[in-house]
């Protein structure tokens, strides 16, 4: 059975989701393993040996079987902006893009990895989202997987995966936003009919004061094996006004207001909230009360079915949503 594995290397842990392909895809394996402090920071690998060891542990514990491996990236150094290009055939656009955008990049074009997501087109031009990542960072992530004997077949942008998550939902309003809240980075995507129209990567550190000392392990209720193997969350009441959570809500509100103020912006009907940050006390409630639109929490089982072996472990945590979105990429 053909399958695809989406992988996300975050600062706190490494996450992977394997899905079957076909008419009714389902999650056939998934897991998460912790990373010791100092191994990775903002999706950059600082200790390749420790990260490769964690990858091998993840593959073994989660029983990942193979398939295409797609690496998801998103960090504060990734540039995302709207870009209008002359209408060209896809292969010609890829060849011309480095020359067209070199003045927009924060690094020399030969040090960047570029992607362009076409959103709409006219007779003469294509409007889309330009994504530029530092090639050294991407190559370091790929090499880390290679050191663990894992071959990366493709690299994808995590916000584009989140847009696919929205497309997988039924009965969704035409224009919605999805925010995947991470421990250090939050990805926000506004979609129209499932197509990403606006992307922001928000730096927001949520771990200060919210994590217990290293070595503690969070256990999922009713799941003896535990889905999430990482430092446990400190026990805080929901009403705790942690400054980090307040800052996140303010940044989300400002991001959505910025989008709404753009010329031709369609009103957002709903925000879907997901990501590892939902495990942190008070985050979901603070976001729901701090925004001026309906907020719906989104879990893995809202998006896709589970195989019997995965379902037996209980509902996968929302921290796996980024990896799921990457695995949902177009079949090759």
């Amino acid at each position: 059975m053909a399958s695809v594995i989406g992988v996300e290397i975050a600062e706190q842990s490494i996450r992977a989701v394997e899905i079957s392909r076909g008419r009714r895809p389902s999650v056939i394996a998934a897991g998460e393993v912790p990373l010791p402090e100092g191994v990775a920071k903002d999706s950059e690998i600082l200790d390749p040996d420790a990260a490769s060891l964690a990858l091998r542990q993840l593959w073994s514990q989660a029983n990942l079987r193979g398939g295409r491996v797609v690496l998801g990236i998103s960090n504060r150094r990734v540039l995302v902006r709207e870009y209008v290009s002359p209408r060209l055939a896809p292969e010609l656009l890829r060849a011309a893009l480095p020359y067209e955008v070199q003045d927009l990049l924060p690094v020399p074009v030969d040090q960047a990895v570029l992607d362009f997501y076409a959103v709409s087109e006219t007779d003469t031009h294509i409007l889309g989202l330009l994504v530029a990542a530092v090639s050294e960072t991407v190559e370091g992530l790929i090499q880390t997987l290679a050191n663990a004997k894992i071959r990366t077949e493709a690299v994808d942008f995590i916000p584009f995966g989140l847009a696919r998550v929205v497309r997988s939902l039924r009965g969704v309003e035409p224009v919605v936003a999805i925010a995947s809240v991470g421990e250090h980075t939050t990805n926000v995507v506004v979609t129209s009919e499932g197509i990403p129209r606006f992307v922001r990567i928000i730096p927001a550190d949520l771990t200060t004061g919210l994590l217990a000392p290293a070595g503690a392990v969070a256990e999922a209720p009713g799941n003896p094996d535990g889905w999430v193997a990482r430092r446990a969350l400190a026990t805080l009441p929901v009403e705790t006004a942690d400054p980090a959570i307040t800052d996140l809500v303010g940044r989300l509100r400002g991001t959505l207001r910025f989008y709404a103020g753009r010329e031709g912006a369609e009103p957002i009907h709903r925000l879907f909230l997901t990501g590892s940050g939902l495990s942190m006390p008070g985050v979901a409630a603070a976001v729901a009360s701090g925004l001026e639109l309906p907020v719906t929490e989104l879990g893995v089982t809202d998006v896709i079915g589970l195989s019997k072996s995965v379902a037996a472990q209980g509902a996968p945590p929302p921290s796996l949503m980024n990896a799921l979105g990457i695995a949902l990429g177009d079949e090759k």
Side-chain angles (χ1 to χ4, degrees):
M1 175 174 56
S3 65
V4 179
I5 301 174
V7 180
E8 178 192 19
I9 301 180
E11 187 165 330
Q12 301 295 136
S13 61
I14 302 179
R15 301 143 188 169
V17 173
E18 181 173 6
I19 66 171
S20 61
R21 303 310 301 259
R23 295 179 61 185
R24 299 186 65 182
S26 64
V27 176
I28 57 177
E32 179 176 4
V33 297
L35 286 177
E37 293 184 32
V39 173
K41 183 174 179 60
D42 200 19
S43 294
E44 295 188 43
I45 302 299
L46 305 179
D47 187 338
D49 292 338
S52 295
L53 179 62
L55 279 161
R56 288 193 289 269
Q57 179 185 1
L58 173 58
W59 247 246
S60 175
Q61 290 184 357
N63 194 28
L64 297 162
R65 306 171 189 175
R68 296 183 66 244
V69 175
V70 182
L71 172 66
I73 63 165
S74 179
N75 60 59
R76 307 176 196 196
R77 298 178 67 189
V78 174
L79 168 74
V80 188
R81 62 175 298 171
E82 287 185 336
Y83 185 72
V84 179
S85 169
R87 184 173 180 177
L88 299 170
E91 61 276 9
L92 294 178
L93 178 58
R94 284 193 295 269
L97 197 59
Y99 304 99
E100 292 183 8
V101 305
Q102 55 186 340
D103 293 337
L104 305 176
L105 304 180
V107 297
V109 69
D110 60 354
Q111 298 177 22
V113 177
L114 304 178
D115 193 12
F116 181 74
Y117 192 110
V119 171
S120 61
E121 61 183 53
T122 67
D123 292 340
T124 57
H125 290 84
I126 300 175
L127 171 65
L129 296 173
L130 170 68
V131 181
V134 178
S135 57
E136 182 181 10
T137 299
V138 177
E139 290 164 1
L141 292 166
I142 293 173
Q143 185 58 51
T144 298
L145 271 78
N147 292 344
K149 309 300 182 185
I150 301 168
R151 179 175 176 269
T152 305
E153 291 198 14
V155 178
D156 201 355
F157 189 40
I158 285 174
F160 293 165
L162 294 173
R164 295 186 205 109
V165 166
V166 173
R167 284 204 297 272
S168 299
L169 302 174
R170 295 182 178 179
V172 174
E173 298 93 337
V175 181
V176 298
I178 180 169
S180 179
V181 179
E183 293 93 342
H184 302 281
T185 303
T186 293
N187 292 280
V188 180
V189 188
V190 178
T191 70
S192 176
E193 303 291 351
I195 302 299
R197 299 285 183 171
F198 176 83
V199 172
R200 279 295 181 271
I201 301 172
I202 300 175
D205 292 312
L206 287 180
T207 54
T208 303
L210 292 178
L211 290 178
V217 176
E219 295 182 358
N223 176 18
D225 297 324
W227 270 106
V228 183
R230 54 181 170 160
R231 282 175 292 164
L233 296 165
T235 301
L236 296 175
V238 171
E239 63 271 15
T240 298
D242 186 278
I245 298 177
T246 302
D247 178 64
L248 170 67
V249 174
R251 289 171 183 258
L252 282 172
R253 186 166 53 241
T255 296
L256 297 177
R257 284 179 176 173
F258 176 81
Y259 165 81
R262 291 159 26 112
E263 183 179 357
E266 300 176 87
I268 300 173
H269 295 93
R270 181 175 305 277
L271 172 72
F272 289 103
L273 191 65
T274 190
S276 58
L278 291 194
S279 302
M280 300 179 184
V283 168
V287 172
S289 63
L291 298 185
E292 301 165 350
L293 73 167
V295 175
T296 300
E297 294 184 38
L298 193 64
V300 170
T301 53
D302 297 317
V303 179
I304 192 171
L306 310 177
S307 68
K308 290 183 179 179
S309 60
V310 173
Q313 302 177 62
S319 58
L320 296 177
M321 190 66 76
N322 289 351
L324 173 61
I326 293 300
L328 287 171
D330 296 331
E331 189 168 2
K332 304 294 182 182

